[in-house]
Amino acid sequence: MNLFDHTTSWCKGEIAEGTKLSLFGGGISLVSVGSWLWGTGSLWEFLVVPLGIIGLLHILAGFYLRRQNRHRLADFASAFQQNPFSFAQEEKSRAEESLASYRSSRIIFGGLSIVAILLLSLAPSMIWQAAGIGLLVLGVSALVVDHFSAGRTRTYLEAIEASFSL
């Protein structure tokens, strides 16, 4: 596989991730609606807003990933045809920056998950416990998404570096 094939594969992986993220958000939104319609007990009633917001965030993030990477496919093709070496250098820099941002996002979302667990465990109010559940869903899902995205980016970076040695 040449570098452009690797680039296309990485980009299609991001599009697929966006689709899965939107579907996950849709599922969370359905749980939110279900807790509003059929929830019995205070905690279910308090989950409507946090889960609705978290579901909407996932849907929007997924659509953004899909849209952004569809446009990138066309841009990548023209940039690669104009100057393959310059394209590889730019992609190497972008992939390295992405990997650095994944490290910081893991710290942020890991910390958010810890705060969520503390809220869920220690807060006396069901409103705060519901907020803790919503934050926990957000934090853990972001960690999972970043894990897979970072793995794809590492593989892509290795392909870029291998193209320099050809």
Side-chain angles (χ1 to χ4, degrees):
M1 230 167 37
N2 68 24
L3 177 59
F4 186 72
D5 292 336
H6 284 288
T7 302
T8 303
S9 176
W10 170 83
C11 206
K12 288 180 179 179
E14 291 289 305
I15 292 168
E17 186 173 293
T19 301
K20 293 170 193 166
L21 196 58
S22 290
L23 290 172
F24 180 69
I28 293 172
S29 296
L30 287 175
V31 170
S32 174
V33 169
S35 67
W36 175 54
L37 294 174
W38 304 295
T40 57
S42 298
L43 186 56
W44 279 110
E45 294 168 2
F46 290 127
L47 279 173
V48 172
V49 173
L51 291 183
I53 292 170
I54 299 305
L56 183 62
L57 286 174
H58 280 81
I59 291 169
L60 293 174
F63 279 129
Y64 175 77
L65 268 175
R66 288 175 50 89
R67 184 173 186 269
Q68 178 187 32
N69 286 292
R70 280 191 188 137
H71 291 297
R72 278 185 178 168
L73 278 174
D75 294 342
F76 284 160
S78 64
F80 184 77
Q81 287 175 350
Q82 287 176 358
N83 188 343
F85 184 75
S86 175
F87 173 79
Q89 287 178 320
E90 290 172 14
E91 283 301 289
K92 183 176 188 292
S93 295
R94 191 178 64 75
E96 288 170 342
E97 289 173 14
S98 292
L99 285 175
S101 73
Y102 292 132
R103 283 188 279 279
S104 56
S105 73
R106 284 183 183 144
I107 292 168
I108 291 167
F109 288 113
L112 180 68
S113 298
I114 291 169
V115 168
I117 290 169
L118 290 173
L119 274 175
L120 189 55
S121 302
L122 303 175
S125 165
M126 285 195 201
I127 292 173
W128 286 107
Q129 290 173 2
I133 291 170
L135 290 175
L136 188 59
V137 170
L138 176 65
V140 171
S141 64
L143 288 170
V144 170
V145 166
D146 279 359
H147 173 76
F148 286 105
S149 190
R152 258 194 322 280
T153 303
R154 262 192 239 76
T155 302
Y156 181 44
L157 183 58
E158 290 168 5
I160 293 169
E161 290 170 345
S163 76
F164 283 122
S165 64
L166 295 178

